[in-house]
Amino acid sequence: MKKYLSGLRAEIDSLTVFSDIKNDPVISGLRELSRAISDREDELAVAVYSDMVSHMYRTTASMTDYIRTLVLQDDNFYVKGRAAGRQMETEIETAADHELSVLQEISALKSSDVREVIGYDGFLPDWTNSVSDIRYDFLEKMGNISRTGYGIYARYSFFRVEDGNIVPVAHPDYQSLDELYGYERERDLIIKNTTAFVEGKGASNMLLYGDAGTGKSSTIKAVAASLVPAGLRVIEVKKTQLYQIPGIMEELSSNPLRFILFIDDLSFTGNDDNFSALKATLEGSISGCGDNVVIYATSNRRHLVKETFADRMGDELHINDTMQETMSLSARFGLTITFQKPDKDEYLNIVRSLAKEYGLKMDDDELCRRAEAHAIRKNGRSPRTAKQFVELLKIGIGK
């Protein structure tokens, strides 16, 4: 064991395909531990050992699980290349196979064997091991990568754009499809379009237009969440970030997953550069949507552009051309779905469904009377109004 540990530093230094793993605190700790053991520096070995285990304990007490997770979450050039369908040279395949064997050996390293080599009589913490075939798990991951993804896309499902980078949303706020009531026809269209997209059959960019509180955003997120296991991810793009879409498209172009670029509450004012950026993308410019990206947007405005009487009465010679341009953006979405405010019967059906879900027991006439009164105070019926009413009723303050 001492010979193995003394030579472990060279084994770690030789990692090429999984080179980034060398920067991990536990792997770098094992490297330093190997050097300390080789140089017979027992005090240093104790300090390095304790620090290494401390880092591991922050996620798991199992060396096997820790190394396995490192391997499966490493988004190196080999993983990206294989995910993009590129054929790897024989030399790279051989190196990857060898390095998986090295990491498999490390994952089986027992704390008792290491402590014995250090020769310290005091207490040193243990770690555990389990049976695992890391090479098999890695190859299985590569075989399913079009559904599971790699890197942050394997660990998260919802993302946002921050300072030009795609960053994960650790705790996304969304409802399941079972928690949405009403709008069955509209929801079915969204499901069909999104399912076709995930299955690679082609899909339309989509605009959901309608009154506030009718569930446009909630429906998109719920449908997307239901298709995450099939390889779908969502990236929210703010209106002020639309000019970054070409760069986002380029970054995602070789990714095996499917992505919805989600733009919530979309609207523009005159002379807005973001208007032109989105219009060019939807039209199919040289940097337009790839096969693995669609754009879904919601808006309370049918034509997306805020227009004043002054705009129509301006001094431009070809005012009709300008008006047609401002109205053309919504037409460039292949599918437009309208979410209108529910009528009384539909609104009350939503209230009844939510009341049942929340376990409320109340006379139906009384429930409907209170729900209607709440809608009047909230300036109209909508699924959002219905949910707010039932939630207030649940905690005992609904009237």
Side-chain angles (χ1 to χ4, degrees):
M1 178 53 67
K2 184 172 183 179
K3 182 179 180 181
Y4 169 74
L5 288 173
S6 297
L8 186 57
R9 177 174 45 166
E11 292 271 30
I12 292 173
D13 285 343
S14 73
L15 294 177
T16 305
V17 174
F18 293 92
S19 179
D20 290 344
I21 284 180
K22 290 186 284 190
N23 299 320
D24 178 80
V26 172
I27 296 297
S28 61
L30 282 170
R31 183 187 182 281
E32 287 303 303
L33 182 62
S34 172
R35 187 186 69 78
I37 290 173
S38 180
D39 295 344
R40 300 181 179 179
E41 298 182 32
D42 287 344
E43 288 187 8
L44 177 60
V46 169
V48 171
Y49 178 97
S50 300
D51 189 51
M52 177 191 74
V53 177
S54 174
H55 279 288
M56 184 167 60
Y57 276 4
R58 295 172 194 180
T59 55
T60 179
S62 169
M63 178 66 79
T64 308
D65 291 346
Y66 191 90
I67 300 300
R68 179 180 180 275
T69 299
L70 274 183
V71 171
L72 296 184
Q73 291 186 353
D74 188 40
D75 54 344
N76 55 60
F77 72 92
Y78 176 83
V79 172
K80 291 179 179 179
R82 285 280 302 272
R86 292 198 293 272
Q87 186 70 32
M88 293 294 172
E89 289 90 340
T90 302
E91 292 78 7
I92 297 177
E93 293 284 2
T94 300
D97 191 63
H98 170 74
E99 291 174 25
L100 287 169
S101 297
V102 170
L103 293 164
Q104 178 74 53
E105 277 193 274
I106 294 175
S107 75
L109 190 61
K110 295 181 179 179
S111 56
S112 58
D113 291 338
V114 178
R115 290 200 314 273
E116 184 177 333
V117 172
I118 292 175
Y120 174 62
D121 293 333
F123 175 81
L124 285 175
D126 274 319
W127 65 71
T128 62
N129 302 91
S130 58
V131 177
S132 179
D133 188 337
I134 291 178
R135 183 177 182 277
Y136 175 85
D137 292 342
F138 178 77
L139 294 177
E140 184 178 45
K141 169 198 169 181
M142 296 307 301
N144 296 320
I145 204 163
S146 63
R147 296 190 301 275
T148 60
Y150 56 79
I152 59 172
Y153 302 111
R155 301 192 293 276
Y156 302 95
S157 305
F158 288 78
F159 304 82
R160 67 178 187 277
V161 178
E162 188 175 288
D163 298 328
N165 299 311
I166 299 172
V167 298
V169 177
H171 305 289
D173 178 24
Y174 65 86
Q175 297 171 271
S176 69
L177 286 172
D178 293 339
E179 296 174 317
L180 299 179
Y181 302 104
Y183 300 94
E184 285 83 4
R185 185 190 68 85
E186 292 83 356
R187 189 159 56 250
D188 187 55
L189 289 172
I190 297 168
I191 291 172
K192 286 181 178 178
N193 189 68
T194 311
T195 301
F197 171 60
V198 170
E199 293 176 351
K201 297 177 180 178
S204 297
N205 296 315
M206 191 164 59
L207 172 65
L208 275 60
Y209 152 75
D211 298 300
T214 50
K216 301 181 295 295
S217 301
S218 297
T219 303
I220 288 177
K221 289 187 282 188
V223 170
S226 72
L227 291 169
V228 163
L232 182 65
R233 302 292 185 267
V234 179
I235 302 173
E236 183 169 10
V237 182
K238 297 185 183 299
K239 194 198 78 169
T240 55
Q241 299 169 328
L242 296 182
Y243 71 94
Q244 298 178 25
I245 285 182
I248 295 172
M249 300 280 194
E250 185 68 25
E251 181 176 341
L252 300 176
S253 61
S254 60
N255 198 299
L257 298 174
R258 303 276 170 169
F259 295 89
I260 293 174
L261 297 189
F262 174 47
I263 311 166
D264 198 19
D265 197 19
L266 182 62
S267 65
F268 299 98
T269 55
N271 301 317
D272 192 328
D273 290 339
N274 287 294
F275 176 90
S276 299
L278 181 58
K279 184 177 177 182
T281 301
L282 292 172
E283 182 66 14
S285 67
I286 195 169
S287 57
C289 295
D291 292 337
N292 67 331
V293 178
V294 291
I295 295 176
Y296 284 8
T298 70
S299 179
N300 297 335
R301 293 175 175 271
R302 176 65 178 86
H303 296 298
L304 304 179
V305 181
K306 297 178 182 178
E307 190 180 18
T308 66
F309 283 109
D311 294 328
R312 297 205 174 200
M313 301 299 292
D315 57 2
E316 187 173 345
L317 291 176
H318 303 289
I319 186 66
N320 186 61
D321 290 346
T322 300
M323 289 171 57
Q324 288 298 321
E325 181 180 13
T326 62
M327 296 172 65
S328 67
L329 181 60
S330 59
R332 300 196 180 203
F333 286 90
L335 180 61
T336 299
I337 301 174
T338 303
F339 278 66
Q340 296 179 335
K341 281 194 173 183
D343 58 22
K344 179 179 178 179
D345 289 340
E346 187 173 7
Y347 168 71
L348 292 178
N349 283 334
I350 294 172
V351 169
R352 291 187 185 100
S353 297
L354 286 168
K356 183 179 180 181
E357 178 187 330
Y358 279 63
L360 295 178
K361 294 183 179 180
M362 178 180 290
D363 178 73
D364 186 69
D365 290 340
E366 178 69 8
L367 178 69
C368 293
R369 183 187 66 78
R370 290 192 184 188
E372 277 289 276
H374 183 80
I376 292 172
R377 290 194 299 272
K378 290 293 183 178
N379 298 317
R381 307 180 185 100
S382 72
R384 181 185 297 164
T385 300
K387 186 173 183 180
Q388 290 171 346
F389 165 70
V390 174
E391 287 177 341
L392 289 173
L393 208 60
K394 176 69 175 177
I395 60 176
I397 61 176
K399 297 181 180 178

